[in-house]
Amino acid sequence: MTPSNQDGGPRSEAVKPVGLARTIFTYAVCILIAVVIAAGVRYFLIEPYRIPTGSMLPTIQLNDMVLANKLVYKVGGQPKRGDIVVFKDPTGEYPQLIKRVVATGGQTVDLQDGSVYVDGQKLDEAYTHGKPSAPLSGGQVSFPFKVPDGEIWVMGDNRTNSADSRVFGSVPVEAVYGRAWWTYWPLSHFGVLR
């Protein structure tokens, strides 16, 4: 039954206009919530990175923008062979580097005749497109190299032009920011990283 006024007709409720200050406050709160959510996603879940070098060619191009899953290693997972990881640059030349995990803690890496051996097994690395994996001049690493527990051995796919673990040694797992999994820019490179 519809409420009625004293004349017996339906009663209408007057809608009060919302003040300008309240509207501005509402928009400000919405924007603040959106910023907090975006910052939380970026800090805890997914972060974009620009690739500073050509060390991962042709898998990842110079200046490509990739997304890294930051949560994957925080919830108990560990980097494994084949993962493409973003980590703090041990040399300090760049804020971060991106390389492929070749070996993990406890494994032994050796370079022989242009190939990588892990625990005596020659790796099949199609992503290098036949580029040889040789020790780099100026590197302080001697082979065979046993990766300490809690660390990873990383190498760029562009083996003839990549300053990687052959130069700076293994990388502590705690220096890893996340696992790169998607290229989102430029659109011509859009897709899953392998």
Side-chain angles (χ1 to χ4, degrees):
M1 186 164 168
T2 306
S4 57
N5 60 21
Q6 291 178 350
D7 297 334
R11 183 172 58 194
S12 63
E13 298 281 335
V15 177
K16 295 182 181 178
V18 177
L20 179 61
R22 186 170 180 174
T23 301
I24 291 172
F25 176 76
T26 301
Y27 280 120
V29 167
C30 290
I31 290 169
L32 179 63
I33 290 170
V35 167
V36 168
I37 290 171
V41 166
R42 184 170 180 164
Y43 185 78
F44 294 107
L45 301 176
I46 297 172
E47 185 158 358
Y49 292 97
R50 185 185 65 79
I51 306 308
T53 71
S55 69
M56 286 296 289
L57 289 168
T59 307
I60 306 172
Q61 303 297 309
L62 178 65
N63 293 320
D64 274 1
M65 297 293 292
V66 302
L67 295 175
N69 180 335
K70 297 179 79 173
L71 188 62
V72 68
Y73 301 135
K74 289 182 181 177
V75 295
Q78 291 291 311
K80 61 185 183 306
R81 183 185 302 157
D83 286 357
I84 299 173
V85 294
V86 179
F87 58 96
K88 183 178 182 181
D89 180 3
T91 70
E93 187 175 350
Y94 300 98
Q96 68 274 333
L97 293 176
I98 186 167
K99 309 285 182 194
R100 191 178 297 271
V101 177
V102 171
T104 59
Q107 295 184 314
T108 300
V109 177
D110 202 2
L111 304 179
Q112 300 174 20
D113 302 321
S115 296
V116 178
Y117 289 78
V118 175
D119 292 338
Q121 300 287 345
K122 181 179 176 181
L123 299 185
D124 179 18
E125 299 182 293
Y127 43 79
T128 65
H129 296 273
K131 291 186 177 178
S133 302
L136 297 179
S137 61
Q140 304 299 314
V141 179
S142 58
F143 295 94
F145 180 91
K146 185 170 182 178
V147 181
D149 289 336
E151 299 194 3
I152 55 175
W153 181 271
V154 294
M155 296 176 77
D157 291 358
N158 187 4
R159 294 291 164 82
T160 55
N161 189 20
S162 174
D164 49 37
S165 286
R166 295 173 290 174
V167 173
F168 49 71
S170 54
V171 175
V173 171
E174 60 262 15
V176 176
Y177 298 131
R179 180 173 56 86
W181 62 282
W182 194 273
T183 302
Y184 71 92
W185 191 260
L187 292 178
S188 58
H189 301 163
F190 189 81
V192 176
L193 288 171
R194 295 192 168 97

